[in-house]
Amino acid sequence: AVVSTQSTGKIAAKRNVEWETLDVRDFGPLPAPPSFRERIDAVLANPRFRLRLVKVGSKEFEETFADTHAVYARYQSTIHGDTPDKCNQSRFHNFLCNSPFQHREVENQGAYHQQYWLDGTLIAVGVLDILPRCLSSVYFYYDPSYEGLTLGTLSALFELHLASKLSRTALPSLRWYYMGFYIHSCRKMRYKGRFRPSYLLCPRGYTWWPLEQCLPQLDAAKYCEFDTERAGETPVTDTEMACQVVISPQDWQPMRYDIFQAIHRAEVGEELPDELTDAIRELYRLAGRENARLICLVSEE
């Protein structure tokens, strides 16, 4: 650092200014910057801001339901262009409040809404699932009036802080924070890619891969398979095709594909259309063998 002093005391006499070079180390060691946890704790200590974790189905949840729905309706209509009938209270409840976890009373686990209050006004809500090994971010919405605050990024920071706190106290088994879907071509989701280290799930092999390793593939194509060992799998065999489970919408009974095909042939007198066979092959290609066997296809026939 360079500090100037003026011996004459006259501002106009610039040519007579004497310069003295000072080493900042002469003033002693610089204080360490605050840690992530300290910064979050400082924000939470601000009386204007309140972060409230509310369990779905609780008394506190019911008391604030109208507020949370009002913010959701404004968010969906402004950000996603939804019509009022698509974001009414009934659809909101089915989408973000009707969780299977609320029927199981497990301490410190289940479905929660993390509410962000500023000056007594609800401005955002994070929908969370707290599980034994992870905190999963299901959905996040906010009042569009506060869009300039980059609340999506802030919510991830607060949820990381919550996951860290839970792992140190009530849930020692919690080790992971799931940020939900990542669509590389979606501008609204790009903020998720700025958190490191992070991993993406391969849609075929269901294995985890470092985000940095996946980015070149995502820049080149919208759909990517990161598990190269599974990329060379052979196509579905006739035996696998016959054993694939399909469901007829007429009676909703699951059955093997070969049995379904025989019934259709006996009743209609012709083979099933190629679209169903192609759908099974596409299922194996996209999901892989292990996952395809766990999926039932619904036939339109």
Side-chain angles (χ1 to χ4, degrees):
V2 178
V3 179
S4 64
T5 59
Q6 193 168 8
S7 61
T8 61
K10 297 180 180 180
I11 297 178
K14 292 183 179 180
R15 62 178 178 275
N16 295 325
V17 171
E18 297 177 0
W19 296 90
E20 181 181 0
T21 303
L22 301 178
D23 192 331
V24 294
R25 289 173 294 184
D26 294 338
F27 296 96
L30 296 176
S35 66
F36 166 71
R37 189 180 303 168
E38 290 171 337
R39 293 183 182 186
I40 295 295
D41 288 339
V43 175
L44 294 176
N46 190 323
R48 296 182 57 194
F49 179 73
R50 186 184 181 193
L51 193 63
R52 191 179 182 190
L53 187 64
V54 177
K55 192 164 189 176
V56 172
S58 66
K59 178 182 177 181
E60 294 82 2
F61 174 82
E62 299 298 335
E63 291 174 345
T64 57
F65 180 81
D67 293 319
T68 56
H69 169 257
V71 175
Y72 170 79
R74 288 196 293 271
Y75 173 81
Q76 293 295 124
S77 61
T78 303
I79 304 300
H80 296 290
D82 285 356
T83 56
D85 63 296
K86 289 186 177 181
C87 46
N88 57 33
Q89 286 195 0
S90 176
R91 293 202 175 192
F92 167 66
H93 187 275
N94 290 334
F95 179 34
L96 297 175
C97 309
N98 189 18
S99 169
F101 294 113
Q102 69 187 75
H103 304 298
R104 294 181 57 200
E105 289 298 328
V106 181
E107 188 177 3
N108 301 312
Q109 297 180 41
Y112 289 83
H113 282 196
Q114 184 155 258
Q115 302 173 349
Y116 297 73
W117 296 81
L118 182 64
D119 294 331
T121 301
L122 182 67
I123 65 170
V125 177
V127 182
L128 307 173
D129 284 339
I130 300 179
L131 305 173
R133 290 188 173 85
C134 74
L135 186 149
S136 177
S137 179
V138 178
Y139 201 71
F140 179 77
Y141 59 92
Y142 55 85
D143 188 329
S145 303
Y146 297 87
E147 186 174 11
L149 297 180
T150 62
L151 291 172
T153 299
L154 288 174
S155 72
L157 294 173
F158 282 112
E159 289 167 9
L160 279 167
H161 182 264
L162 174 61
S164 175
K165 181 180 179 180
L166 288 172
S167 69
R168 288 183 283 106
T169 55
L171 280 175
S173 60
L174 194 149
R175 289 289 181 270
W176 301 97
Y177 168 53
Y178 291 144
M179 300 185 73
F181 288 110
Y182 176 72
I183 302 176
H184 190 62
S185 58
C186 177
R187 183 181 61 85
K188 294 184 179 68
M189 291 192 179
R190 283 294 182 98
Y191 75 93
K192 297 182 180 182
R194 296 199 293 267
F195 291 87
R196 309 291 173 88
S198 59
Y199 302 83
L200 290 181
L201 187 66
C202 176
R204 181 182 181 87
Y206 278 57
T207 50
W208 294 95
W209 298 84
L211 176 64
E212 299 88 340
Q213 183 176 331
C214 303
L215 290 178
Q217 291 177 260
L218 292 170
D219 287 333
K222 292 183 178 181
Y223 177 82
C224 301
E225 298 174 1
F226 313 122
D227 195 337
T228 55
E229 293 183 0
R230 294 178 181 266
E233 285 185 351
T234 57
V236 55
T237 64
D238 292 338
T239 301
E240 290 171 329
M241 180 80 72
C243 294
Q244 180 62 43
V245 177
V246 296
I247 297 177
S248 171
Q250 297 176 359
D251 52 15
W252 295 102
Q253 291 296 318
M255 64 186 71
R256 286 174 34 144
Y257 175 70
D258 55 352
I259 298 175
F260 180 71
Q261 191 176 43
I263 294 175
H264 180 85
R265 188 186 302 116
E267 292 180 349
V268 182
E270 58 184 30
E271 297 293 332
L272 283 167
D274 293 337
E275 286 80 0
L276 183 56
T277 302
D278 293 341
I280 295 176
R281 296 188 188 281
E282 184 71 359
L283 173 64
Y284 270 76
R285 188 186 72 81
L286 295 176
R289 278 180 162 75
E290 296 178 7
N291 299 310
R293 296 190 185 106
L294 303 175
I295 299 175
C296 295
L297 285 179
V298 178
S299 171
E300 296 181 357
E301 296 298 320

